[in-house]
Amino acid sequence: MELKIAVAVDKDGVVFPGHFAHAPVYRIYKYSNGRLELVEERRNPLGDVPDLDHGHHISRLNTDFEGESPEAPPAHGLPKYQWLRSRVLPDVSVVIAGGACQTSYRYFTSEGVKLLFTDPVDVETLEAYVTQNREEFEQALRE
């Protein structure tokens, strides 16, 4: 099994405890033969903006983005997650994070991306867990 995995992390290298779309950094790994190999770190522009989706439910798609730059991320709703997928995470098939909202979860999973959630642990602990528990990790990927 070979995959590209994004781990949402905070500035201290801990799995981001909040909504993965607002993590400041994604550590991108190649997963192969039961091991995670760090490929790169990607800065997330959404990590610099407030999470306007936090604490409320989205009942319709927000399309009121007139006047925003095409390069700037949309403020909230489905367009925000489409932007994140196309601009920051186009090549990953798994995201590991502390949390997500229903809209982001539904969108990313509809794109074939598996979302796995964990407590906010340091990334080295997560790497060791995956290596030491290969079967369990791969079972979670299949579920």
Side-chain angles (χ1 to χ4, degrees):
M1 174 181 293
E2 187 168 306
L3 304 165
K4 199 172 256 189
I5 299 174
V7 178
V9 298
D10 67 13
K11 61 181 170 48
D12 298 319
V14 173
V15 173
F16 190 68
H19 190 309
F20 79 91
H22 288 274
V25 173
Y26 296 104
R27 287 195 180 169
I28 307 300
Y29 292 87
K30 180 177 87 172
Y31 178 77
S32 180
N33 298 320
R35 300 187 57 81
L36 289 174
E37 176 188 335
L38 182 63
V39 176
E40 66 178 301
E41 287 193 359
R42 294 181 189 163
R43 189 180 86 65
N44 178 16
L46 291 174
D48 297 332
V49 298
D51 184 357
L52 298 179
D53 291 331
H54 179 73
H56 71 80
H57 300 286
I58 299 169
S59 59
R60 65 179 180 85
L61 300 181
N62 184 331
T63 57
D64 303 323
F65 296 113
E66 294 83 5
E68 290 188 7
S69 161
E71 296 301 312
H76 59 87
L78 184 60
K80 176 169 79 172
Y81 307 119
Q82 292 169 325
W83 184 93
L84 180 64
R85 176 72 171 148
S86 68
R87 303 288 178 107
V88 182
L89 301 173
D91 56 342
V92 301
S93 52
V94 178
V95 173
I96 299 175
C101 72
Q102 287 185 14
T103 304
S104 63
Y105 182 86
R106 287 182 180 154
Y107 173 70
F108 271 80
T109 57
S110 77
E111 289 285 302
V113 178
K114 179 77 174 180
L115 274 76
L116 298 175
F117 301 106
T118 185
D119 292 331
V121 297
D122 65 75
V123 176
E124 289 77 20
T125 300
L126 179 65
E127 291 170 356
Y129 174 82
V130 169
T131 301
Q132 295 166 5
N133 298 279
R134 176 181 181 172
E135 291 86 17
E136 185 177 330
F137 181 69
E138 290 184 6
Q139 179 63 34
L141 292 172
R142 286 190 291 273
E143 291 177 353

